[in-house]
Amino acid sequence: MATAAHDHDHHGHIRLEYQPALPIPNGKVCLWLFLSTEIMFFAALIGAYIVLRFGAPGGTWPGVHDVHVVETLGAINTFVLICSSVTIVLALEAAKRDQTAKAKALLFLTLALGTLFLGIKAVEYKSKFDHGIYPQYPHGLVYDKADMYYLQAVRTRLQKHRADLEKELSDKPSESRSKLLRERLDVVDTLLTSYVGWTERQIATSDDAAWRFAQMDMFAFYIYPLARNTAATSYLKEDLRIVKAKLAELAPQMEASKQQIAKYQEQIESSKSKVEALQKQIDEAKKAAGENPTEQQQAAIEKLEAEQAAAAKVQTEATAAMTSANAALQAVELEWKAADGRRKLIEGDSNSPIPALRAIVEVDTSGVHPKVHGGLNEHFSWLRLPLHIPSGNMWASTYFLLTGFHALHVAVGLLVFVIVLLGRPLNRARANVVENIGLYWHFVDLVWIFLFPLLYLF
Amino acid sequence: MNETHEHSEVTHDHHGGNAKYLAVFGALIVLTAISFFLANSSVYETSPQVARAAMLAVSCAKAMLVMLFFMHLLWEANWKYVLTIPASLMSVFLVLMLVPDVGRRTEKYSLERWRHASEPVEAHHEESEPHAESEAGEEEAAH
């Protein structure tokens, strides 16, 4: 081709022979060069994911159901992309055969399938966001470890709820609204005392390290249950046993100190009446003695006064003893109330605003990937308490980065489809355009072929 | 070289062809189904490594099908090797180079580092690892 052009020019002292570098159109060369950089780009992302995932501290990587990944949706999206790959390759065949209407229809179908893919992707993203899993901290509720920081984050969150609810209540909202707010306040208060407060006390006072860890596991589990923490259900049994033992231990103590207080009360009453009776006697004796009492009368009065002083002393002592016994009873009652609150939280109670802890979590270990759902966050969706997912932040970063970049490529492809569809008819002359966008689209499909098993099935 | 290019425009019918594409489509669906069922089978339960390797192999097969037929690499001239093989090698090296420092990072974790790592639940109860004690100390310190 180039040589023919040179034959015509008569400057021709140097006769150059041009060979195209590659036996394909320049556009295709550029696209393939671009794709070879894309191979490295996605290989880096996928490689980073594999390395981070399998290098994560042993066994911490979240299971698919722990982070609301639904394999079926991934499989449907795979199917959608494969279909779109077929439609675009058929569009190319149609364009090569000059069947412009068919090529256009097929390309439009590809566009529709790509849009469907993004739609499903959006639904998937939303399910993560709804559960507080975001790729970055300011919005994310994910904590990698269930430790003191996590516990305090839950407390802070509940206290903030409390302050917000009280503020809204003080603004005198409508009848139904204030009823709702009061119900929520009740839930928050119960959680602060019998859930957060109880766990804090257990961790602060227990000498058993394993029990402290079990308490933290359990604490995190009933907010956001993870399949790996299903052992928490057995800790709950143990916890209930301990709580019941505590209640059984405190009940006789409370009874005994109540009896003691009653005894002191009796003493106080009797000594009081004794003091009064003696006062009467003293008054009578003084009256009888008149201005100048005899020695005998004087002695009798002094004896009575001594007796009265003794009775008064008994009264004072009994009063002091009763005050301290009352304080002791109050302390025991407080302890009993805390334990009983915990019992109500575990077992459920008609007065408790929160259903039994055991009842709010459903554990299904029948399949290959155990499924666990429920928890306080799901039961009270307005709570949005911090969640404990080991390696959860790393998971979110890699998941959103990989699928995000892939979705971005899909979006760019869709944009190009629209531009091509709006252009001239897709005849044989434009088949190379269809071929190029097809190559790009197949590459996008290719990336998804690897992302699907890595993100949904591993 | 020029000839192959010009021929590909005119005589496209002897490669590609709608029947072939539909056959590839069918194969891709079957392969996807295979990896889906692998992930939900007893193989994954008993030896996840085997299942994962199989799933990756299936993915490679799917990728090859897409590249060879849909991207027409099967019928392209030898330039295809120039563009695809170096890029693929680069990506393999890239991943391998991440392994020692990032992939195996937890093997050399210090006690201090473990304190801030997310840990497996089992470590708390079964292993008598030093980091379990250090965490207990941390919690006591917090009070």
Side-chain angles (χ1 to χ4, degrees):
Chain A
M1 300 182 279
T3 44
H6 275 273
D7 282 344
H8 292 291
D9 83 348
H10 297 285
H11 312 285
H13 27 275
I14 303 171
R15 292 173 62 84
L16 293 170
E17 274 203 23
Y18 289 108
Q19 285 275 354
L22 290 172
I24 48 175
N26 285 344
K28 198 167 155 185
V29 176
C30 288
L31 202 104
W32 265 108
L33 277 174
F34 170 65
L35 288 187
S36 68
T37 65
E38 288 274 82
I39 292 173
M40 288 185 273
F41 177 78
F42 275 106
L45 284 179
I46 293 172
Y49 167 76
I50 292 176
V51 160
L52 288 171
R53 189 219 146 102
F54 291 101
T60 58
W61 201 258
V64 281
H65 297 130
D66 290 340
V67 281
H68 307 281
V69 169
V70 183
E71 303 103 309
T72 325
L73 284 181
I76 291 171
N77 254 352
T78 308
F79 178 71
V80 167
L81 269 195
I82 291 175
C83 287
S84 74
S85 265
V86 174
T87 52
I88 200 160
V89 89
L90 294 180
L92 171 63
E93 290 298 310
K96 278 179 180 172
R97 292 196 176 92
D98 256 345
Q99 299 164 328
T100 51
K102 193 180 168 195
K104 197 164 186 175
L106 282 164
L107 190 58
F108 186 78
L109 195 57
T110 314
L111 176 69
L113 287 166
T115 314
L116 177 63
F117 176 90
L118 282 189
I120 293 173
K121 196 87 246 165
V123 169
E124 288 186 288
Y125 272 24
K126 186 165 183 300
S127 78
K128 318 277 181 295
F129 296 159
D130 281 350
H131 287 90
I133 305 171
Y134 288 88
Q136 88 278 37
Y137 263 121
H139 300 294
L141 301 175
V142 177
Y143 277 69
D144 281 343
K145 267 170 87 172
D147 55 7
M148 286 309 293
Y149 298 105
Y150 174 67
L151 191 61
Q152 289 317 305
V154 174
R155 174 173 274 284
T156 310
R157 179 91 191 160
L158 284 171
Q159 279 166 340
K160 190 174 177 303
H161 272 310
R162 195 170 202 296
D164 290 348
L165 287 167
E166 281 188 331
K167 188 169 173 288
E168 206 183 329
L169 268 173
S170 69
D171 292 343
K172 305 252 180 293
S174 68
E175 190 73 20
S176 59
R177 178 78 188 154
S178 66
K179 186 168 171 281
L180 178 80
L181 292 177
R182 258 193 291 279
E183 274 169 15
R184 287 185 176 183
L185 204 59
D186 200 15
V187 169
V188 168
D189 280 339
T190 309
L191 285 178
L192 272 172
T193 51
S194 301
Y195 198 61
V196 181
W198 177 267
T199 309
E200 280 169 345
R201 210 160 28 246
Q202 288 288 310
I203 288 169
T205 55
S206 172
D207 294 329
D208 183 359
W211 183 239
R212 290 201 300 266
F213 285 123
Q215 282 286 331
M216 281 307 314
D217 264 359
M218 193 159 61
F219 179 76
F221 181 78
Y222 286 94
I223 290 175
Y224 185 85
L226 294 177
R228 60 154 44 76
N229 268 5
T230 45
T233 48
S234 65
Y235 306 149
L236 200 60
K237 251 182 223 149
E238 179 64 7
D239 202 30
L240 185 61
R241 195 186 63 72
I242 290 174
V243 165
K244 279 190 167 164
K246 185 92 185 162
L247 285 173
E249 183 197 319
L250 291 175
Q253 273 184 34
M254 245 156 56
E255 198 48 46
S257 52
K258 268 181 192 161
Q259 277 173 10
Q260 194 75 27
I261 287 166
K263 218 177 87 193
Y264 289 138
Q265 191 70 43
E266 214 171 281
Q267 269 184 22
I268 292 167
E269 289 301 323
S270 69
S271 50
K272 198 178 163 196
S273 57
K274 206 171 168 187
V275 167
E276 275 164 10
L278 284 166
Q279 187 62 46
K280 230 181 216 168
Q281 283 181 28
I282 290 166
D283 289 346
E284 275 170 17
K286 277 185 175 166
K287 210 175 171 187
E291 291 288 305
N292 301 306
T294 63
E295 226 166 89
Q296 209 178 7
Q297 280 170 325
Q298 187 64 34
I301 289 169
E302 269 167 24
K303 197 182 159 227
L304 282 172
E305 275 174 346
E307 265 178 53
Q308 195 199 24
K313 199 183 165 208
V314 169
Q315 192 192 347
T316 325
E317 276 172 4
T319 311
M322 196 179 77
T323 313
S324 69
N326 256 330
L329 177 66
Q330 266 172 17
V332 175
E333 270 178 343
L334 217 63
E335 228 177 308
W336 193 86
K337 223 177 133 191
D340 197 48
R342 182 65 176 180
R343 183 192 62 75
K344 281 178 185 166
L345 196 65
I346 299 171
E347 284 192 317
D349 187 89
S350 53
N351 294 329
S352 173
I354 295 159
L357 279 189
R358 233 185 315 218
I360 61 170
V361 176
E362 282 170 50
V363 180
D364 171 19
T365 49
S366 58
V368 177
H369 303 289
K371 278 181 187 161
V372 181
H373 56 93
L376 290 169
N377 261 7
E378 200 167 300
H379 200 84
F380 302 105
S381 54
W382 52 272
L383 268 178
R384 286 179 77 81
L385 295 174
L387 344 158
H388 164 54
I389 307 177
S391 292
N393 283 309
M394 187 64 96
W395 177 85
S397 303
T398 52
Y399 173 83
F400 286 111
L401 195 71
L402 258 68
T403 56
F405 267 119
H406 181 261
L408 202 66
H409 277 75
V410 173
V412 168
L414 297 181
L415 193 69
V416 175
F417 291 165
V418 171
I419 293 168
V420 170
L421 278 170
L422 293 175
R424 285 177 286 117
L426 300 172
N427 52 25
R428 184 180 288 192
R430 283 194 93 205
N432 62 330
V433 175
V434 181
E435 186 181 11
N436 288 347
I437 57 173
L439 284 172
Y440 174 81
W441 193 251
H442 294 310
F443 180 78
V444 171
D445 183 24
L446 213 65
V447 172
W448 186 255
I449 282 174
F450 286 100
L451 290 188
F452 171 59
L454 284 172
L455 294 175
Y456 290 78
L457 304 178
F458 267 37
Chain B
M1 290 289 247
N2 268 343
E3 279 168 348
T4 49
H5 167 53
E6 272 152 18
H7 276 196
S8 69
E9 290 285 294
V10 187
T11 58
H12 54 85
D13 276 343
H14 70 81
H15 65 70
N18 294 356
K20 212 169 265 176
Y21 293 140
L22 290 178
V24 172
F25 170 72
L28 288 175
I29 298 293
V30 170
L31 285 170
T32 309
I34 288 174
S35 45
F36 188 81
F37 287 116
L38 261 175
N40 293 294
S41 71
S42 56
V43 182
Y44 190 89
E45 211 163 2
T46 48
S47 45
Q49 286 91 341
V50 173
R52 283 172 190 156
M55 281 189 264
L56 272 189
V58 166
S59 284
C60 288
K62 282 166 76 182
M64 280 315 271
L65 282 177
V66 169
M67 288 197 292
L68 289 179
F69 293 97
F70 287 169
M71 295 173 95
H72 300 111
L73 279 187
L74 186 60
W75 305 291
E76 297 289 3
N78 286 345
W79 62 262
K80 64 191 172 193
Y81 300 117
V82 180
L83 283 175
T84 51
I85 290 181
S88 306
L89 282 180
M90 288 289 276
S91 34
V92 170
F93 288 142
L94 207 132
V95 176
L96 287 181
M97 279 186 277
L98 285 171
V99 169
D101 281 349
V102 187
R104 295 162 64 87
R105 67 194 186 284
T106 54
E107 288 182 17
K108 292 272 161 77
Y109 265 13
S110 63
L111 211 77
E112 188 63 30
R113 185 70 188 79
W114 268 118
R115 250 176 231 173
H116 302 284
S118 53
E119 285 156 282
V121 174
E122 301 82 60
H124 298 154
H125 313 295
E126 282 151 29
E127 294 169 30
S128 53
E129 291 243 308
H131 64 257
E133 281 168 35
S134 72
E135 209 184 56
E138 186 186 61
E139 277 173 3
E140 270 148 28
H143 283 277

